[in-house]
Structure formats: structure tokens, C-alpha cells
Amino acid sequence: MTDPEKLRRQALDALTTARARTALLTSCVDDGELTAQHSPLMSPLVWDLAHISNQEEQWLWRAVAGREALRPEIDSVYDAFEHPRATRPTLPLLAPAEARAYASDVRDRVLDVLERTPLEGGRPLVDAAFAFGMVAQHEQQHDETMLITHQLRRGPAALDAPEPPPGPGTAGLPAEVRVPGGPFTMGTSAEPWALDNERPAHARVVPEFFIDTVPVTNGAYMAFIADGGYRDERWWAPEGWAQIREHGIGAPLFWRREGGQWLRRRFGVVEPVPEQEPVLHVSWYEADAYARWAGRRLPTEEEWEKAARHDPVSGRSLRYPWGDDDPTPEHANLGQRHLRPAATGSYPAGQSPFGVRQLIGDVWEWTSSDFLPYPGFVAFPYKEYSEVFFGPAHKVLRGGSFAVDPVACRGTFRNWDLPVRRQIFSGFRTARDA
Ligand SMILES: [Fe+2]
């Protein structure tokens, strides 16, 4: 992993893969739809498109290569901290053709920079191609964000993808597995493109616990609804109870009840909710309420990571549940190959040493933990990546969804969001004390 030429090829590959996805997500609708705001929760797609390239220009053209700004006047328009999403349609955004031309100009220059920049020599930003990997991850994260915009968009389907392969199901699998108590290594100091919040590797002592073998299914979640889960204050954190009362929430986002069955809207198609699929589009409050109703709780972030990475035979933490190899389609449902989670029990080749399945891919999994720095955390390369989000306002999600590219998904990768969020590709599994 540390061979600079290999990392150079991986960076080229990651940037190219990200751009192909960006192009697909922004070419499957017309210019009117690109500039429209489909939800106040999201930016117009054309904002994401130019923001991706503006960040790429700032980090790789200016910071890495030391060159002058190409379009200094647009920096402020594409600064995510200056403008909340709801206000972005009012900004003087580049029109679609202009945004595409800017994107391709930046990319041409950046590929040239990648070709001639030495990738070792003591510059933390460029060693091991870190900034290139960071920029590829950033673009893929916006590709996930743009997929959320597509899910929120009304109108006929614009995207299509094959169904996930039929998995072996959950017959014969235990409902939960036991993870013995003791120390394990959390986080990483070795992964070249790990972001600051995943660092450094450190020992954690986690008491024995039990965790679900697979994520909670739509079918199980329907039982919670049918049992009056949304009408029973006992299961809800006070803020969650207030949210579901205020907005009249009684099911996951995009679900509706019709003719005695649950239907959902998924990328422009209305279909019956599949009972064997992991539940999707639930807030942290909904996940937490379900877990309490079930007599269980959400796993902590450290429990999740121990269940995913700890190898009890070697005592080592693996890069992924299945080992140290990069993900393949046999391991996990990633990369927007399929526009939905796979049925629970799928991807046996991707299970962890404890036999926990689908930790990577399918749905982001809410944990009970606040987003906090690890001991020894150092902000890199800027405070706005993670540090400004640390604290009790954000809950940690782990594992990545079907919408996440492998470059932005590792056993150590940490995502965070507000506990009210439900338009994200979020699900969960439950745990209990031993
Ligand atoms: Fe961004």
C-alpha cells in the first residue's frame, strides 16, 4: 500500500471512477433539473458539480501544486460553510455548461499535477497521494449526496441499475453474535487515505456484548409500527418524540400505506416495501426508539468497530470485516452498483470474523455514539473537515451504504449526522449487554 507508484495509479483510478459517477448523476436529467432545488435539504445538483471541482482546484491545483486560483471570484459561492444548502439556489451559480467546462479544465490540470508530483518526501499533504485520495473521497461523498437529491426529486425515474444478486438469506444464521470482552485496536495510523477523524490507532477495552448478525429489516420495522411504536412515548428520546409529533411522522421517509400494505418511493418508482431488506431512511431517533421497543439498544461506535474489525485469532484489527483486501462485488453492496440495499444475509464472503454480515455497504448504520475525536486526534488538513463537527449534536454512522464508493468506505471510516436526518441512506442494527 505504501509503494508511491501504486498509490499514484490508485489515485488516478479513484479520481476517474468518481468523475464517471458524477457525470452519470448530472447527465441523466436536463439543465432545468440540474439547476432546480428538489428539496430545501439539498443543493441544486449544479452546485455540487462546481463545488466538487472548486475543492479539487483549491487542494490539488493551489495547495499541492502551488498555482494561482483559476476562478477566485467563485470560491465564496462554492464554500459549503458560507452558504447553507437552502440558500444555494439564490447564488450566482455557474450554469451547467460552464460548470462542466470548469470541471474538465480543473481535472486536466490536476491529472498533470498527479503525474509529476513526488509522492514521498515529507510533505504530509502529498505523501502517499493523500490529497488526491482525499479529493476523490470528497467527490464520491458528493456523489452520494447527489444520489440523495435524486431520491428526493419528484417525477419519473432518471436512474436505473440492476437488482442486487439474490443472497442466501438468513435461514440458519443466529439472530445475534457474542463479541467477547477485552481490548481491540480502534482507528488507524496505517491506512494512507484515512481521514483525520479515523486517526490514530489506539487500544479500546470493550466489555462483552451481543450484536445483530444482520441489519434490522423492513419486516421487523413494520412490526414496530404495527405495535404502535410511533404512538408510544416510552420508546422515544424527548427530542425524537417532539420531531415525530411536529411532523406527523409514522413510518420511514418515502413510505406510505395503501390498500393494507406499505409502499415506498425509490428513485421515482413506487413499489411494495420488501420485508427482507434492511430498513432505510430512518432517523437516529427512529432507530433508537425501535431498539428500545425491541428490548435492546443501538451499538456504540466502538462496539460496531470491534464487531467489524477485530480478529480474535490474531488479535489484530482488519481493514474490513473480511480481511485486508479491498472490497469486491462479492464482499459488499457498494458504489451505486445497485440502487438499493441487498436482502439481509447477503454477502457471506464479506462477514466479519465473528460472523456479522453486511457491516460494510447496504445501509449506513446509526450508532449510539456522539461524534468525538479519538485520543491523540490532530486536525488535518483543515479544522473544517471534522473538528468543527465534534460534539453531542452529531451521531456517528458506520459502514457505508450502497451509495458509497469503496474509496470512501473502510472499517475505520466514520460518518456523522444530526439525529433528525432521514433522507440519508441510513439504517441500523441493535445490540445488548452480555
Ligand atoms: Fe463538499
Side-chain angles (χ1 to χ4, degrees):
M1 275 304 282
T2 47
D3 169 16
E5 291 319 307
K6 188 176 170 198
L7 285 162
R8 197 187 305 275
R9 287 194 302 276
Q10 286 179 349
L12 175 62
D13 193 46
L15 288 167
T16 308
T17 301
R19 187 49 48 90
R21 175 57 48 180
T22 303
L24 181 76
L25 291 165
T26 54
S27 64
C28 62
V29 290
D30 63 23
D31 282 7
E33 295 228 48
L34 280 181
T35 50
Q37 188 167 45
H38 298 284
S39 159
L41 296 170
M42 309 305 288
S43 316
L45 291 165
V46 76
W47 185 91
D48 290 283
L49 180 58
H51 164 81
I52 287 167
S53 298
N54 186 247
Q55 286 288 303
E56 182 171 330
E57 190 211 323
Q58 291 197 36
W59 286 107
L60 302 180
W61 181 247
R62 298 186 219 172
V64 168
R67 308 299 288 264
E68 290 294 307
L70 300 172
R71 302 279 303 258
E73 78 284 3
I74 65 170
D75 284 356
S76 140
V77 173
Y78 295 104
D79 184 328
F81 286 89
E82 253 181 74
H83 308 287
R85 285 174 176 174
T87 67
R88 291 176 190 166
T90 65
L91 299 170
L93 302 178
L94 299 185
E98 220 183 341
R100 288 193 180 103
Y102 173 60
S104 97
D105 179 32
V106 171
R107 178 54 58 91
D108 286 349
R109 292 165 193 264
V110 158
L111 293 184
D112 194 46
V113 173
L114 174 62
E115 210 174 287
R116 58 190 166 71
T117 303
L119 299 180
E120 50 190 349
R123 276 181 80 193
L125 196 58
V126 282
D127 284 353
F130 174 81
F132 297 92
M134 179 184 78
V135 163
Q137 291 178 72
H138 177 257
E139 179 160 353
Q140 286 287 3
Q141 287 170 323
H142 276 274
D143 290 345
E144 182 181 17
T145 303
M146 290 196 282
L147 194 68
I148 295 170
T149 306
H150 275 281
Q151 169 62 11
L152 286 161
R153 167 187 164 269
R154 294 286 173 169
L159 291 164
D160 194 19
E163 298 295 304
T170 52
L173 285 183
E176 60 179 5
V177 304
R178 187 182 76 91
V179 178
F184 90 107
T185 302
M186 187 171 191
T188 178
S189 302
E191 193 68 46
W193 294 350
L195 301 165
D196 60 1
N197 62 60
E198 299 166 68
R199 300 170 185 272
H202 60 286
R204 289 272 178 123
V205 178
V206 183
E208 181 182 348
F209 66 98
F210 288 84
I211 190 164
D212 291 342
T213 305
V214 297
V216 170
T217 63
N218 288 320
Y221 201 84
M222 286 174 195
F224 166 65
I225 301 174
D227 196 43
Y230 280 89
R231 298 190 303 273
D232 193 335
E233 194 174 352
R234 271 183 303 168
W235 313 129
W236 295 83
E239 305 79 13
W241 182 248
Q243 188 208 12
I244 63 165
R245 305 286 286 183
E246 184 187 338
H247 299 284
I249 293 168
L253 189 58
F254 307 114
W255 284 30
R256 68 167 190 256
R257 187 90 178 150
E258 212 173 277
Q261 69 169 340
W262 284 110
L263 302 177
R264 71 175 179 188
R265 183 167 57 81
R266 181 175 64 85
F267 300 109
V269 174
V270 175
E271 60 189 16
V273 175
E275 295 199 18
Q276 289 311 313
E277 217 173 79
V279 67
L280 188 59
H281 297 301
V282 287
S283 70
W284 184 89
Y285 293 122
E286 288 170 295
D288 175 62
Y290 172 94
R292 292 192 215 196
W293 168 81
R296 300 173 66 83
R297 59 173 174 78
L298 293 177
T300 65
E301 180 182 17
E302 57 189 3
E303 287 172 340
W304 190 98
E305 187 166 325
K306 185 172 183 181
R309 298 183 62 214
H310 182 61
D311 177 2
V313 175
S314 67
R316 210 166 59 79
S317 282
L318 309 171
R319 292 178 68 217
Y320 296 96
W322 54 85
D324 294 334
D325 293 343
D326 288 336
T328 70
E330 299 294 304
H331 291 126
N333 179 8
L334 289 168
Q336 304 186 16
R337 272 200 320 276
H338 314 294
L339 293 175
R340 65 194 297 170
T344 52
S346 294
Y347 303 104
Q351 73 180 16
S352 79
F354 294 111
V356 186
R357 289 203 188 167
Q358 290 166 296
L359 287 152
I360 297 290
D362 291 303
V363 294
W364 282 108
E365 298 182 20
W366 288 112
T367 71
S368 62
S369 300
D370 295 339
F371 184 47
L372 295 173
Y374 290 162
F377 168 84
V378 178
F380 180 78
Y382 62 126
K383 278 188 163 48
E384 286 72 20
Y385 188 78
S386 312
E387 193 175 327
V388 298
F389 298 101
F390 287 143
H394 295 99
K395 296 293 185 189
V396 172
L397 300 111
R398 285 304 202 95
S401 71
F402 64 88
V404 171
D405 187 81
V407 78
C409 189
R410 295 170 282 280
T412 54
F413 193 93
R414 310 172 75 196
N415 187 9
W416 64 94
D417 218 323
L418 300 171
V420 295
R421 284 276 185 262
R422 46 213 302 270
Q423 80 273 17
I424 57 176
F425 300 115
S426 51
F428 62 103
R429 72 182 74 216
T430 69
R432 68 178 171 94
D433 295 347

